[in-house]
Amino acid sequence: MTRGTRGMFRTKTVEQSIQDTEEPEHALKKSLSALDLTVFGVGVVIGTGIFVLTGKVAKQNAGPAVALAFVLAGIVCGLAALCYAEFAATVPVAGSAYTFSYATLGELPAWIIGWDLILELALGCAVVAVGWSGYIRSLLDNAGWHLPAVLSGPHGGTFGFDILACALVLALTVILVAGIKLSSRVTAVVVAVKVTVVLIVIVVGAFLINGDNYRPFIPPAQGTSGNNGLAAPLSQLIFGFTPSNFGVMGIFSAAAIVFFAFIGFDIVATAAEETRNPQHDVPRGILGSLAICTALYVGVSVVVTGMEKYSRLSTEAPLADAFKSRGQPFWAGLISFGAAIGLTTVCMILLLGQSRVFFAMSRDGLLPRFFSTVHPRFGTPYRSTILLGVVVAVVAGFTSIDVLAELVNIGTLFAFVVVALGVVILRRTRPDLPRAFRTPFVPAVPVLSVTASVWLMLNLPAETWLRFAAWMVLGVAVYFAYGRRHSRVGARNAS
């Protein structure tokens, strides 16, 4: 291996990563508990998906067996969560998968995953903010207040700026700058409202269930024509495999779709450095939030398919429309309110995760160190938070909700693969490290996590892979132009 190649794959020791968190100007304030982390996890995972995706997938892919699809997706996420929990407890440093890969795979892979996470979280936050804006405009319209079209975002190729989406991101940026504890309190209040709405929907819906709607629980399999060209899943282009709907295989196809409703639980790991007892609290936060979200998703899917025959469900607002069809317009309105409230916390926590990844990369010198300075009063990475908040606010203002969403999915799955591989590597290279939480059945669990994540990635359209590859190529170019020459690990190795 040449000297240059060694430089690209130089690792940052776990001890050095932890030592860097103790520098006064770059040390984040530790104030979070296991409950705070669990609230963050539930806050980012439970969004409009619970009110829309459950019924949509039931109608198009799995019928009442969509509940089993959520269980399968929860198991896939659980495999990744076990790997995240070990890493976050062993390396309680901001940056999540970026920091973990720096300690195991090396600098260039760490840069790639960090670059990937920045895109994933920025796009996710922007798209969620646009969705929130749509709900608020709908509520304003119902009250007789109408925003001018030019301030409602781009529609049908016409120019427009989404003032509500932009304002939301800027307001959340201010809250994040003011302190992680304040952010957690705001999140706790909103999540409490959101979960209460979901539980009310489940309880009320349970009294409106018709048992005949569950028959057949697993509808007979139906072939699909599939998409053509770059819009087709990569697995279809490589293997000639065309997915089917309904039947047993339909459950697996549905699991590949509903998996994306769980995206975000891994962001809990980005707050490890700001946790008072990360060795114990981070694993509890990750696994606890995932368990709660899986239970809520299964509960809602059982209710919606019991209230309305799966074949008659709408695809736009299936749960709300199911309540309307049963003569319950009040509960339908409550669902819309819960969805709007829920998106607020999703947006905040995506922005939180992105700022922590950017902060960690800046502290390592791979991005300008200027952005890794912590606010002397609030103890937050205020410079990186403000920069990213403004960028995301502008993107949200000019972005249509239906663009680039799949890039968020492929980025998350790529991070899952890296973290699972990292657990196996660190077990071999540093067996001496104290581990407050250990992933069980290594290497079986990490291997299963990698296999499941890659399978879901192959179910994404080929054009998504091309966009992802283009972003990665740009990232490698930035690394060689700036990051490699300013790396603090490289400077230490040279001295």
Side-chain angles (χ1 to χ4, degrees):
M1 184 180 292
T2 65
R3 181 179 178 181
T5 303
R6 286 198 302 270
M8 290 187 292
F9 292 94
R10 54 198 172 206
T11 58
K12 182 180 181 182
T13 65
V14 172
E15 291 80 3
Q16 186 60 58
S17 293
I18 296 175
Q19 183 179 334
D20 285 349
T21 68
E22 300 169 355
E23 298 175 353
E25 289 188 354
H26 308 285
L28 297 173
K29 187 176 181 180
K30 299 181 183 296
S31 58
L32 299 178
S33 65
L35 178 60
D36 293 325
L37 296 177
T38 302
V39 169
F40 275 146
V42 175
V44 73
V45 173
I46 300 298
T48 53
I50 197 167
F51 303 112
V52 177
L53 197 60
T54 47
K56 183 177 181 179
V57 174
K59 179 175 183 176
Q60 299 179 344
N61 302 97
V66 66
L68 299 180
F70 274 108
V71 172
L72 284 174
I75 291 172
V76 173
C77 289
L79 295 172
L82 290 170
C83 298
Y84 268 92
E86 175 171 327
F87 251 128
T90 308
V91 193
V93 178
S96 185
Y98 158 76
T99 300
F100 306 156
S101 58
Y102 211 158
T104 54
L105 301 177
E107 186 171 277
L108 179 58
W111 166 270
I112 289 174
I113 195 65
W115 186 253
D116 158 56
L117 289 173
I118 288 174
L119 174 70
E120 169 202 337
L121 299 176
L123 289 178
C125 184
V127 170
V128 168
V130 173
W132 176 87
S133 173
Y135 276 102
I136 298 301
R137 286 199 306 273
S138 176
L139 292 174
L140 290 176
D141 289 341
N142 292 339
W145 299 339
H146 307 286
L147 276 179
V150 72
L151 296 179
S152 300
H155 297 285
T158 60
F159 173 80
F161 184 78
D162 196 330
I163 188 68
L164 291 177
C166 179
L168 173 67
V169 175
L170 293 178
L172 295 178
T173 299
V174 172
I175 293 174
L176 289 173
V177 168
I180 188 69
K181 194 61 181 178
L182 174 62
S183 306
S184 70
R185 287 171 180 164
V186 172
T187 302
V189 172
V190 178
V191 168
V193 173
K194 178 167 55 175
V195 172
T196 300
V197 170
V198 174
L199 292 175
I200 290 174
V201 165
I202 292 174
V203 172
V204 173
F207 289 96
L208 301 174
I209 287 176
N210 180 353
D212 292 337
N213 291 332
Y214 292 128
R215 302 186 186 95
F217 188 74
I218 302 179
Q222 298 177 6
T224 62
S225 57
N227 293 313
N228 297 315
L230 294 178
L234 191 63
S235 60
Q236 182 177 327
L237 297 179
I238 295 176
F239 307 113
F241 169 75
T242 302
S244 64
N245 288 330
F246 306 111
V248 174
M249 289 306 298
I251 297 174
F252 287 95
S253 297
I257 299 172
V258 302
F259 165 83
F260 303 124
F262 289 91
I263 282 178
F265 76 87
D266 53 310
I267 290 177
V268 173
T270 68
E273 190 175 328
E274 296 160 274
T275 305
R276 288 192 293 266
N277 186 6
Q279 286 76 14
H280 296 92
D281 290 348
V282 174
R284 291 171 183 169
I286 292 175
L287 298 172
S289 60
L290 183 59
I292 292 170
C293 293
T294 302
L296 292 176
Y297 275 128
V298 171
V300 170
S301 62
V302 169
V303 165
V304 71
T305 53
M307 289 175 57
E308 185 84 0
K309 189 70 174 179
Y310 73 90
S311 58
R312 294 195 297 268
L313 287 169
S314 74
T315 57
E316 297 298 324
L319 193 53
D321 289 347
F323 274 97
K324 287 180 182 178
S325 70
R326 301 302 296 270
Q328 303 289 334
F330 171 78
W331 301 112
L334 185 66
I335 290 169
S336 297
F337 171 75
I341 289 293
L343 287 179
T344 307
T345 56
V346 176
C347 194
M348 175 187 283
I349 300 166
L350 288 172
L351 193 58
L352 166 75
Q354 183 194 30
S355 65
R356 270 44 178 184
V357 173
F358 196 97
F359 166 78
M361 296 175 72
S362 173
R363 188 167 58 187
D364 289 333
L366 300 183
L367 290 170
R369 289 267 289 170
F370 172 82
F371 295 108
S372 64
T373 301
V374 171
H375 195 283
R377 177 184 173 188
F378 302 127
T380 57
Y382 67 106
R383 291 175 178 173
S384 59
T385 301
I386 292 172
L387 170 69
L388 295 171
V390 171
V391 171
V392 173
V394 172
V395 172
F398 289 107
T399 300
S400 168
I401 196 170
D402 57 351
V403 301
L404 299 180
E406 274 122 353
L407 277 173
V408 178
N409 304 332
I410 195 170
T412 300
L413 289 164
F414 181 54
F416 284 6
V417 171
V418 170
V419 170
L421 291 175
V423 166
V424 177
I425 293 172
L426 200 63
R427 284 282 188 97
R428 291 183 177 274
T429 59
R430 294 297 307 274
D432 57 305
L433 281 176
R435 291 169 168 83
F437 180 90
R438 297 177 69 89
T439 303
F441 307 113
V442 173
V445 167
V447 168
L448 286 172
S449 180
V450 170
T451 303
S453 298
V454 170
W455 175 71
L456 292 175
M457 290 173 75
L458 290 174
N459 280 275
L460 290 170
E463 59 188 354
T464 300
W465 283 81
L466 292 178
R467 293 191 189 108
F468 182 67
W471 177 254
M472 290 296 103
V473 169
L474 176 61
V476 170
V478 173
Y479 169 75
F480 282 105
Y482 182 89
R484 188 165 181 263
R485 294 187 292 111
H486 294 83
S487 167
R488 295 184 70 202
V489 172
R492 291 191 190 103
N493 291 346
S495 62

